[in-house]
Amino acid sequence: MSAHATFALRATIAPMSSLRVLIPAEKIQARIQEMGAQIAREHPSGPLYLIAILKGACIFLSDLARAIPGTPVRMEFIGISSYGKGKSTWGEVKLTKDLDVSVEGFDVIVVEDIVDSGITLSYLLQVFRQRKPRSLKIATLLDKPERRQRPVKVDYVGFQIPDEFVVGYGLDYAEDYRNLKDVCVLSE
Ligand code: IMP
Ligand code: MG
């Protein structure tokens, strides 16, 4: 475990919980460079809208955007509520912050931290299709395919992971751990 993760463990979690590094920071960064290069190859002209789902995808978005050389990239944010404060989904998605601009006629990539049940993204794809983008794709850092309840076609996947609850690199548990550089498994 990195020094950073050890600090967070001492600072914020209950004594019976533990953090184990699943994907170290260096591996995350290397994979994002590959994903960015692929996205740049497939979208040479731009402008390309990267739309991050708040708050978890913000850190991934900021690294991914800088890994897309040459292509003019624009950044947008949307807010949704689905997970509440625990580890299980409510199964219901609500838009809490919409886009600031129209993306009609533009290439759009929705940027997500993790695809779990697929409920969030299947809802958002429906919303975005109504906005008539030229193309609509999904990039996620993490994918837990075993947990899928709704089929979602994910175009760019950083890492497939097993069915474990993870935190760090933007992902939270009750709003904690987002600032860890590694993706860690949180267990009680
Ligand atoms: P879905 O709608 O079930 O696919 O859930 C996607 C959202 O659930 C993600 O954007 C995360 O906010 C949250 N989520 C799912 N799995 C995890 C996890 O292992 N750690 C932290 N958040 C998670
Ligand atoms: Mg999220």
Side-chain angles (χ1 to χ4, degrees), residues 53-57 80 82-83 112-114 120 171-172 178:
I53 304 173
L54 294 170
K55 306 167 197 163
I80 48 126
S82 64
Y83 238 69
E112 179 58 306
D113 51 4
I114 186 165
T120 306
L171 291 127
D172 74 306
R178 293 191 196 275

Side-chain angles (χ1 to χ4, degrees), residues 16-34:
M16 297 308 286
S17 301
S18 70
L19 284 174
R20 167 173 58 83
V21 174
L22 182 68
I23 312 172
E26 312 77 66
K27 264 183 93 172
I28 297 172
Q29 293 304 326
R31 181 70 188 115
I32 291 174
Q33 294 309 311
E34 292 175 355

